[in-house]
Amino acid sequence: MVGSERAIVPVVLAGGSGYRLWPLSRAEQPKQFAQLMGEYTPFQEAVRRASAPERFAPPLIVAGEAHRFIVQDQLEAIAAPSSTVILEPEGKNTAPAAALAAFLLVEQKQAEALMLLMPSDHYIAHGDAFFQAVMAAAPAAKSGRIVTFGVTPDAPETGYGYIRRGMA
């Protein structure tokens, strides 16, 4: 895709401790690397969504050093296009991973690009609707706002935050 759309750089976040879906998910292989539904793992699905050159710039992948071989194997298994992989020596949560990706974009002279942080353990059934939501949100992000996407919760959950719809 030509123009401003390619200025969106997907950042696939592939960290995690592996405790929420135990015993299927473990520290050595968190849920994003487990084949849960369908042909691909959640990580592979996220990379596939992020690897559409007609929609996005090449993706960055942020993963833990401990998962480097799983990441490599899963990228090869889907014949993913060449991606930059940032390996964290120790997982410290989303904000440091996002900061690493932002610093890399600045270093690569892409400071004006929009970063699309994509956790790799989320299930997204409708890729086209996801892309349309990203494109609809891009103008707000370009104006300097932080944009979040979420789903309507169906029950209280202490493990997640809640988002109030609208702009502040």
Side-chain angles (χ1 to χ4, degrees):
M1 184 169 281
V2 181
S4 62
E5 289 88 358
R6 282 196 43 89
I8 298 175
V9 178
V11 177
V12 179
L13 302 173
S17 59
Y19 67 88
R20 283 207 173 135
L21 199 56
W22 185 90
L24 180 61
S25 178
R26 305 169 309 287
E28 308 82 47
Q29 185 168 343
K31 67 181 177 253
Q32 67 267 20
F33 301 121
Q35 193 166 350
L36 303 173
M37 303 169 43
E39 184 179 351
Y40 304 105
T41 68
F43 170 73
Q44 289 171 320
E45 288 288 0
V47 171
R48 287 166 44 92
R49 265 192 307 283
S51 295
E54 69 279 4
R55 294 181 168 182
F56 301 118
L60 300 175
I61 297 168
V62 182
E65 174 72 34
H67 303 124
R68 70 183 299 160
F69 297 113
I70 296 172
V71 168
Q72 180 180 350
D73 289 346
Q74 291 202 2
L75 290 173
E76 288 174 4
I78 61 170
S82 181
S83 301
T84 300
V85 178
I86 302 170
L87 296 173
E88 297 178 292
E90 182 179 335
K92 292 292 186 185
N93 221 327
T94 302
L100 278 172
F103 287 134
L104 181 64
L105 290 178
V106 169
E107 185 177 277
Q108 293 177 341
K109 309 284 190 255
Q110 296 183 65
E112 297 301 315
L114 296 179
M115 279 183 19
L116 174 61
L117 296 177
M118 299 173 54
S120 62
D121 62 350
H122 291 186
Y123 174 71
I124 298 175
H126 304 288
D128 286 335
F130 170 77
F131 176 69
Q132 289 177 7
V134 169
M135 296 292 43
K142 286 178 188 173
S143 75
R145 296 184 183 274
I146 295 175
V147 179
T148 59
F149 300 92
V151 296
T152 303
D154 57 5
E157 171 57 55
T158 60
Y160 304 106
Y162 292 93
I163 301 168
R164 188 175 356 178
R165 187 174 178 175
M167 293 199 207

